[in-house]
Amino acid sequence: MSELVTGDAVVLGLRPARLPSRALALAIDLVVVWIVFILVSIGLAIATATLDEAASAAIAVATFLLVLVGGPIAVETLSHGRSLGKLACGLRVVRDDGGPIRFRHALVRGAMGVVEILMTLGVFACIASLVSARGRRLGDVFAGTLVVRERVSAGRGTAVPPPPPWLVGRFAGLDLSAVPDELWLAIRQYLTRMHQLDAEVGLSMAERLAGELAVRTGVPVLPGVPAAAYLAGVVNERQARDARRVFPAAQADPLGQGAMGVGSVPVGVVGPSAAVGSVAPGATVPPVAPLVPAAPVEPGAPEAEEPGSRKPGTGFAPPA
């Protein structure tokens, strides 16, 4: 993943295209361009059969420049960096700041492509792409562009596990404005992979992240709350706040079950389109209040459950 900073100081995480995918896209583009060039050359040769040798040579050079050089430049300019080969491979040419390319970027790339692709059979382009940390050839370096992957496998994304039900809504009073994006990313990566880590390593990592998060928020970790559960609860609160800002109209009655408070949805519903929590507007919950676990149930005593009320497990144990 490559971090690009836009003109508005927004960090973009883009996945640069590497040599194999770029070579395949270039091969497709070259096949198409050469087919067009051959067809156009045959047509012009037939149409200009009566001209002298000098005129025929001038037409051949003009055809070469217009089709093999001007054609790719025009296609990249009009398609904003998506040629036929790049479309087939899910690639796109963008500026260094992540924006769409313009004519001048395509012109520099096309002019350098004549030297490092056509005249050297792609040897210079391959060497430059292998040496570059982001897989750029010389044309990309001089033009200030980057070839990135537009299509990324959806199976790579992993949902953050929901917090325990006894922690939902307990962090509504936290000030999360001082938490940097790097810390959020580290917490998310830990929560999605905590079951793959060694127990001791995972515990120490959770405690370290929880300590950093507590310093940023200015509120210590709730006593008796496991570090992993604390992290999941705070991340869930942040998702709830983001959902309330993005989907304000869906908070009145998201499930059609009567009036519900802002941010109030059933426990266990986690996602970008649902705000998790049960805190009414204006209400505050002391973030450092001691937790009171649910009353113990006698062994063998049946629990009264309504149909469909069973919630999936969260992987976190309640405080002892």
Side-chain angles (χ1 to χ4, degrees):
M1 191 71 71
S2 175
E3 289 189 352
L4 303 180
V5 181
T6 68
D8 298 328
V10 177
V11 179
L12 301 178
L14 301 178
R15 190 179 299 275
R18 297 302 177 184
L19 181 59
S21 58
R22 294 194 62 175
L24 179 59
L26 178 60
I28 296 174
D29 289 336
L30 288 179
V31 169
V32 174
V33 169
W34 277 105
I35 291 176
V36 174
F37 175 71
I38 293 174
L39 294 178
V40 172
S41 299
I42 293 174
L44 290 177
I46 297 174
T48 60
T50 57
L51 297 179
D52 56 5
E53 185 177 351
S56 299
I59 292 177
V61 172
T63 304
F64 175 84
L65 293 176
L66 289 177
V67 176
L68 294 182
V69 180
I73 294 175
V75 170
E76 284 194 353
T77 303
L78 297 177
S79 63
H80 299 291
R82 300 183 185 93
S83 62
L84 184 61
K86 291 181 176 61
L87 280 175
C89 297
L91 309 181
R92 182 183 181 183
V93 183
V94 297
R95 301 195 307 261
D96 275 341
D97 60 357
I101 64 172
R102 303 182 185 276
F103 171 73
R104 61 186 178 89
H105 303 97
L107 178 61
V108 175
R109 281 174 49 82
M112 291 299 301
V114 175
V115 178
E116 60 177 335
I117 295 178
L118 296 180
M119 293 186 178
T120 63
L121 300 179
V123 176
F124 282 2
C126 291
I127 295 175
S129 182
L130 289 174
V131 172
S132 173
R134 296 191 289 179
R136 303 201 300 176
R137 63 179 178 88
L138 295 180
D140 294 316
V141 175
F142 285 101
T145 57
L146 175 69
V147 180
V148 299
R149 302 188 64 87
E150 282 195 309
R151 295 197 298 263
V152 181
S153 176
R156 296 182 182 180
T158 305
V160 177
W166 42 271
L167 274 184
V168 174
R170 300 300 299 272
F171 303 102
L174 286 182
D175 181 12
L176 305 179
S177 59
V179 182
D181 292 337
E182 293 80 5
L183 183 55
W184 286 124
L185 179 60
I187 294 174
R188 179 182 177 86
Q189 290 177 343
Y190 164 75
L191 291 176
T192 54
R193 302 174 184 176
M194 61 180 180
H195 297 296
Q196 304 173 6
L197 302 175
D198 180 75
E200 295 183 359
V201 175
L203 179 60
S204 62
M205 186 178 298
E207 292 177 348
R208 179 177 60 83
L209 293 174
E212 295 181 9
L213 186 59
V215 170
R216 296 289 184 173
T217 57
V219 178
V221 182
L222 298 179
V225 177
Y230 167 76
L231 295 174
V234 176
V235 170
N236 186 269
E237 175 62 28
R238 184 185 185 226
Q239 292 177 344
R241 295 182 186 182
D242 292 341
R244 285 196 291 268
R245 285 193 297 267
V246 177
F247 304 99
Q251 299 172 32
D253 191 1
L255 299 180
Q257 297 177 354
M260 301 176 69
V262 176
S264 172
V265 299
V267 175
V269 179
V270 178
S273 61
V276 180
S278 57
V279 182
T284 59
V285 178
V288 295
L291 297 175
V292 179
V297 181
E298 295 295 333
E303 290 186 87
E305 292 185 353
E306 297 181 1
S309 63
R310 182 177 297 275
K311 305 176 182 61
T314 61
F316 301 105

